[in-house]
Amino acid sequence: MSELFDAVDALVASRSQLPPTEERKRLRQAHGLTLDEVAAALKVRRATVSGWESVKKTTEPRGPEREAYARLLSKLAELYPTPAAAPDPTPTMFTGQPAPAERQTLSAGPASESADMTERKNTQTAPASAAAEQATPRPARTARSASMSHRPGARKATPASTPAGGTDPRFENGPLAVVDVGIDGQVLAYCVGGLVLDVPAKSLPSLVDWTLKEARLGQPKLSGPGKDADPLLVLTESALERYGLPVALTEEERLAGRIPEGHKVIKQLARADWKLTKRGFGPWARIYRPATGSERACVQLCIPSWHALDIRHWGEAGQLPPAELARALGVYASRVMTPRGSTAVTGLELMTALQPATRASEPDENGKRHSEHNPGSLGKDPVDPAPCEAPDGHPVLKDLPRFHVRGPAEKLFEEAYDWARPMTDAECTLRHLVGIDVNVAFAAGANGLNVGLGAPTHVTNPVFDPKLPGSWLVDLSHVDLSKVKVGKEWVELNGSLLPSPFTPKGERPEGPAWYATPTVAYAQELGYAVRPTEAWVRRENGRYLDGWYNRLRSAYLATMADLGVDADLAPADFIAAMDSYKARDPELAIVVSAIKATVKGGLGKLRERPRGEGWRPGEPWRALSRPTWRPDIRAAVISRTRINLHRKIVKHAAFTGQYPVAILSDCVIYAADGESPLDFLPYREGKPLPGGFKLGINPGLVKHEGTQSVLWGEEVRERFNAPELNLARYIKDGTVTDADNGE
């Protein structure tokens, strides 16, 4: 009899009622559970759980998995009941039935009130054009375009990139769309705000035509003299198959970065008079026709299955369902800009979008306007770097012997910290190693920085000017960290426990070397005289990166505020909020990662090296043709970022007697008795040490990076026989690996 009862119970369980797919996802995210965690608990694959939550291609659990899944959702529903529904003001759809409730979408508009208050308090006002580009939420309305989906539930929300003054009718459907093929074979375009469009195009050339003529995709320009962003189409694997493209690249195609020019789809484009850029048809293809007048005809493609979305920066974005991918990319587009390629490429393009090289002149005597230089920009022509600023192999160094190795007196070497030291006996008696990390440190280093706009001028025996951007040959070996000025007072420190601020490895310089202006200025700040013997200075200069910093900062703060990390949280509340912020909304967590990668990658592109191209030392490479190839600006930002960090370290040491154990880029490790940064940061009544480390989400402030035991640190160093192994590289989770993390 018991066997019969068990069989009956199993039969009932096999039909356990499950909530709708959107409710399943809501419940999981409300409890902070990841897909991997649910999959592990139910002993199924991650993709299986994702299918159970998929709106488009829902798969239903069966057997014991269904019973367990139903039990999990039932328990979560008790903890997180569905919010009471407000009266539905939605207009009736053409079917005569009320439209289904629309999926809740993120407003990609202005930052939260707390982030906005901090913005006004701590930074200069962003350019009017950037402010105008912020999104303004509006009520959803019914999609009416003839090419739009007429299925119940296919409704239209205001695009995430809506300007504050109202919707630009040219781009009313947002900056981008994810193109996918539905179960019924219909091609669909998933846009921001939950909008879904029917796509009638049967071939790639007709898809491009449809995008430009009917889809109303794109983004308004970010500055007055700038250009509107081209529409972006993201092609899923099913869309690739539909339009005759390979789902994945072969190894040869991956290395080449494109499919062969003889591919049938490229021939289709050529027959329709569409062109490709010199990079060909790759993961970020641009399809265009030459501009006629002021009208552009260009569409950009993003192909995730061809690795367009680097997992180091975009995480699992490439595996998201179309609607969720459109949401993540749409938030990024509205707050940063429509992606133009990798995060590095987009970071560089953002500089130009905010500070275009040219602008329209005042009307001449005939009433015509002409293109002229835009003040404050880098101009439209590239400039050669100073010899000391040029990387090895640059054409300005072609007369050097082939195997000549340049030393510090010949080469500017401003890089981020990679420094560590053995722990003292006193530090070994403490229990923990606590890592703190500076938020978007390189963006903070760019804020308010005066950089050169034009070509360098060579001078000999110059008088150092801390306000003049340039590279200076000067001997800083006399700077003694055992006695330095902190503010206006001289203080004595244990210099052997501090890294030198003048070299990335923290070693004391041994003679003359080239330094960027912020590094030399810091030597003066520490109380020591500087006497350069040579310099390359830039008389034409300005704060070129200010608009870039402000936009990325606003994007970062707004997205973190959406994840529950506000700019005005108390220190303990901030640490708690940061502890699990990624689990609150994994899609927005992806956006945060992409924003941070945009900062680092954009600055890295300022000194882009040859990438294949058949390049030989002494010959120019493709990147040198850009006015934004500026290694001096990159060096200045890195110099200022490293100096900002050292200044806080010195201030902390002078006040507390505590010294860092290791530093990697923007992460610093201290030995402490407790596991929290609050166990060694000198907060008093909630206020930090002036000029020292401060917990918070703003760029330049710090967050908790990770905590490990002192025993862990000593064991790792002993295992690798490396007493100065940089523990900051592994402090986050304690895993020692040489995997590339995108730094």
Side-chain angles (χ1 to χ4, degrees):
M1 185 66 70
S2 61
E3 294 179 358
L4 291 176
F5 286 169
D6 291 341
V8 170
D9 290 342
L11 188 62
V12 172
S14 69
R15 299 294 188 272
S16 297
Q17 291 296 315
L18 298 175
T21 54
E22 294 177 351
E23 177 66 3
R24 301 173 197 178
K25 182 176 180 180
R26 184 192 74 82
L27 291 171
R28 174 177 61 78
Q29 291 183 343
H31 201 60
L33 297 175
T34 66
L35 291 171
D36 290 320
E37 289 173 329
V38 175
L42 300 180
K43 295 182 172 55
V44 296
R45 295 186 301 114
R46 180 187 186 280
T48 301
V49 181
S50 179
W52 295 345
E53 295 181 357
S54 173
V55 176
K56 185 171 69 71
K57 297 180 180 179
T58 306
T59 58
E60 292 296 324
R62 298 179 180 179
E65 290 84 5
R66 185 182 183 93
E67 181 181 7
Y69 189 46
R71 181 179 178 85
L72 169 66
L73 296 175
S74 175
K75 294 292 185 183
L76 293 178
E78 294 176 5
L79 296 173
Y80 310 101
T82 305
D88 186 6
T90 307
T92 302
M93 301 291 284
F94 77 97
T95 57
Q97 299 295 327
E102 185 177 38
R103 171 180 179 271
Q104 182 179 1
T105 58
L106 169 78
S107 165
S112 65
E113 182 179 354
S114 59
D116 184 57
M117 290 175 62
T118 309
E119 177 74 18
R120 292 195 300 268
K121 187 188 305 180
N122 294 342
T123 65
Q124 294 183 336
T125 303
S129 57
E133 213 277 334
Q134 295 295 326
T136 302
R138 288 159 51 110
R141 57 186 177 86
T142 306
R144 291 195 172 96
S145 168
S147 63
M148 295 178 187
S149 173
H150 293 290
R151 300 180 317 282
R155 297 174 46 201
K156 180 175 180 180
T158 298
S161 59
T162 304
T167 301
D168 187 323
R170 299 171 301 160
F171 313 128
E172 66 174 340
N173 293 334
L176 55 88
V178 180
V179 181
D180 188 47
V181 180
I183 299 176
D184 57 359
Q186 173 63 47
V187 182
L188 305 173
Y190 292 81
C191 307
V192 298
L195 171 68
V196 181
L197 307 180
D198 285 330
V199 181
K202 304 298 184 183
S203 66
L204 192 62
S206 61
L207 176 64
V208 175
D209 275 323
W210 172 82
T211 302
L212 293 171
K213 295 176 181 177
E214 298 184 51
R216 297 182 183 178
L217 296 173
Q219 188 176 37
K221 57 189 178 182
L222 299 183
S223 66
K227 298 177 181 178
D228 297 328
D230 299 318
L232 173 65
L233 296 182
V234 184
L235 302 184
T236 66
E237 293 184 8
S238 61
L240 292 173
E241 293 177 340
R242 168 61 63 91
Y243 292 116
L245 291 165
V247 171
L249 299 179
T250 65
E251 183 64 14
E252 182 180 358
E253 291 168 344
R254 187 188 67 80
L255 293 174
R258 63 179 76 187
I259 58 177
E261 292 185 7
H263 194 280
K264 63 178 182 180
V265 172
I266 296 182
K267 292 180 179 179
Q268 290 175 1
L269 291 170
R271 285 195 297 269
D273 295 326
W274 290 107
K275 298 180 181 294
L276 295 167
T277 61
K278 291 181 180 180
R279 294 191 179 274
F281 203 124
W284 290 93
R286 297 188 71 80
I287 304 172
Y288 73 99
R289 286 186 180 129
T292 56
S294 61
E295 294 296 321
R296 289 170 57 85
C298 183
V299 172
Q300 173 137 0
L301 303 183
C302 167
I303 306 178
S305 66
W306 294 7
H307 306 294
L309 301 175
D310 191 326
I311 60 172
R312 296 174 301 171
H313 310 140
W314 286 102
E316 297 182 355
Q319 281 71 53
L320 290 175
E324 296 177 14
L325 179 56
R327 177 190 179 228
L329 290 175
V331 173
Y332 179 90
S334 67
R335 293 179 175 173
V336 180
M337 70 180 299
T338 303
R340 294 288 303 274
S342 67
T343 50
V345 169
T346 304
L348 194 71
E349 291 287 341
L350 180 62
M351 297 179 194
T352 305
L354 294 169
Q355 283 280 16
T358 59
R359 68 178 183 183
S361 68
E362 293 296 324
D364 60 17
E365 61 274 9
N366 297 320
K368 293 184 177 181
R369 297 179 183 269
H370 306 277
S371 175
E372 66 177 13
H373 175 73
N374 184 27
S377 75
L378 299 181
K380 59 186 179 68
D381 299 316
V383 297
D384 282 336
C388 63
E389 298 164 350
D392 294 337
H394 191 280
V396 303
L397 306 173
K398 62 182 178 181
D399 294 331
L400 288 178
R402 182 175 179 184
F403 297 106
H404 177 72
V405 178
R406 294 186 294 163
E410 299 173 279
K411 181 179 180 180
L412 177 69
F413 193 67
E414 295 283 9
E415 297 295 340
Y417 266 130
D418 185 356
W419 170 87
R421 62 169 175 81
M423 283 185 273
T424 65
D425 292 343
E427 288 167 340
C428 288
T429 64
L430 302 176
R431 298 175 58 192
H432 300 286
L433 295 172
V434 184
I436 52 176
D437 181 79
V438 182
N439 296 314
V440 278
F442 294 101
N447 182 28
L449 178 64
N450 203 33
V451 300
L453 301 178
T457 301
H458 184 252
V459 291
T460 56
N461 298 316
V463 175
F464 176 68
D465 182 354
K467 296 181 180 179
L468 185 61
S471 301
W472 310 78
L473 181 61
V474 58
D475 189 350
L476 300 180
S477 60
H478 63 292
V479 177
D480 183 4
L481 295 180
S482 298
K483 186 176 182 181
V484 297
K485 265 190 174 182
V486 177
K488 296 182 179 180
E489 297 182 359
W490 286 92
V491 298
E492 293 186 0
L493 303 171
N494 189 338
S496 65
L497 301 181
L498 286 170
S500 168
F502 310 126
T503 62
K505 292 293 185 181
E507 301 163 342
R508 187 168 179 169
E510 298 179 351
W514 287 97
Y515 302 102
T517 297
T519 302
V520 185
Y522 186 57
Q524 276 190 334
E525 181 183 326
L526 292 176
Y528 291 85
V530 295
R531 297 181 179 86
T533 58
E534 192 179 345
W536 289 88
V537 298
R538 286 173 165 80
R539 308 290 186 191
E540 182 187 358
N541 52 70
R543 292 165 60 160
Y544 172 71
L545 295 173
D546 271 11
W548 184 80
Y549 162 78
N550 285 327
R551 187 162 181 85
L552 287 167
R553 176 185 184 275
S554 296
Y556 178 69
L557 289 180
T559 311
M560 290 302 296
D562 288 332
L563 285 164
V565 186
D566 294 318
D568 55 356
L569 291 174
D573 295 335
F574 168 71
I575 292 176
M578 286 294 296
D579 190 44
S580 58
Y581 79 92
K582 292 183 179 180
R584 295 182 197 124
D585 192 325
E587 293 163 27
L588 283 189
I590 289 173
V591 177
V592 170
S593 173
I595 291 171
K596 294 192 289 187
T598 303
V599 173
K600 286 188 175 181
L603 293 171
K605 277 281 185 179
L606 292 170
R607 198 191 67 161
E608 183 178 358
R609 302 305 308 276
R611 305 178 67 180
E613 309 170 20
W615 174 80
R616 294 181 179 180
E619 297 178 350
W621 57 92
R622 183 183 299 151
L624 301 188
S625 63
R626 297 192 320 249
T628 49
W629 192 85
R630 293 294 301 272
D632 58 297
I633 296 180
R634 173 187 177 274
V637 173
I638 293 176
S639 164
R640 191 163 186 246
T641 303
R642 193 182 67 247
I643 294 308
N644 285 347
L645 182 60
H646 195 275
R647 185 182 291 112
K648 290 180 170 62
I649 289 170
V650 167
K651 187 80 173 182
H652 185 86
F655 188 80
T656 66
Q658 298 169 336
Y659 296 84
V661 171
I663 310 173
L664 180 68
S665 187
D666 45 15
C667 176
V668 188
I669 291 182
Y670 284 91
D673 267 329
E675 300 182 11
S676 167
L678 290 174
D679 290 315
F680 70 91
L681 293 181
Y683 271 80
R684 290 185 176 178
E685 298 180 356
K687 296 182 178 180
L689 172 68
F693 295 108
K694 178 182 178 181
L695 290 164
I697 199 57
N698 268 290
L701 306 189
V702 299
K703 61 180 180 293
H704 183 204
E705 178 69 4
T707 297
Q708 304 295 331
S709 69
V710 168
L711 290 177
W712 164 85
E714 290 296 89
E715 187 275 329
V716 167
R717 285 178 164 178
E718 183 177 346
R719 188 197 325 162
F720 290 95
N721 192 26
E724 296 183 6
L725 180 72
N726 196 330
L727 300 174
R729 195 180 304 275
Y730 318 112
I731 192 70
K732 191 165 191 174
D733 60 9
T735 302
V736 180
T737 176
D738 60 356
D740 183 1
N741 63 359
E743 290 288 344

